[in-house]
Structures are given as C-alpha cells and as structure tokens.
Amino acid sequence: SLDSVDDINGSETESTQEMELAVREAITSLSAQEQAVVNLRLQGYSVEEIAEKLERSQRTVERRLQQAREALSQMLELF
C-alpha cells in the first residue's frame, strides 16, 4: 500500500539524517587541521585551492585528508 512506501521512505530519510549527524559529530572529533581541510573539501574546494587558502603544501593537505578519512572510517564503522 501507499502507507508502506511512505514508511520505507520515512525510514530512509531518518537513516540518512542519522548518518549525517554521525558524520558531523565525527568530524568535530578530528584535529583542527583535519577539520579545516575536510570542511573546505566538503565545500567543494580542490586540494590545490585548500593548500593555497591554508598556506600549506598540497602534499600536507592530501596527507591530512587521508588521515581524516581513516579516522572517520573507523569512527563510522557501525554505519
């Protein structure tokens, strides 16, 4: 029935919202440097642009993004 579809969509929306909240919370537990590169990356900046903005090398930005990905992956394993 149509109600069943709404229930399924409601669960998916709730699940997506829970995941978004978990990701936001996980990001806050990263180091300040990792948070900076992750937030800029999420805003659509390229590695090169982030490096310029933060006055760091592209290699440093890439390393911080990788460290952040690994940390977030561990924190969000349950999802």
Side-chain angles (χ1 to χ4, degrees), residues 16-55:
T16 300
Q17 289 172 343
E18 287 173 10
M19 179 60 155
E20 288 174 7
L21 180 60
V23 169
R24 275 192 241 115
E25 287 178 4
I27 289 172
T28 65
S29 71
L30 298 173
S31 72
Q33 295 89 355
E34 290 168 346
Q35 284 184 49
V37 296
V38 167
N39 286 324
L40 288 169
R41 194 71 173 121
L42 290 173
Q43 291 173 38
Y45 288 96
S46 69
V47 169
E48 183 178 357
E49 291 169 326
I50 295 168
E52 287 175 20
K53 201 176 230 349
L54 299 179
E55 298 179 349

Side-chain angles (χ1 to χ4, degrees), residues 37 47-48 50-64:
V37 296
V47 169
E48 183 178 357
I50 295 168
E52 287 175 20
K53 201 176 230 349
L54 299 179
E55 298 179 349
R56 298 287 181 260
S57 71
Q58 287 185 37
R59 179 70 187 114
T60 296
V61 171
E62 290 168 350
R63 187 173 55 249
R64 288 184 180 155

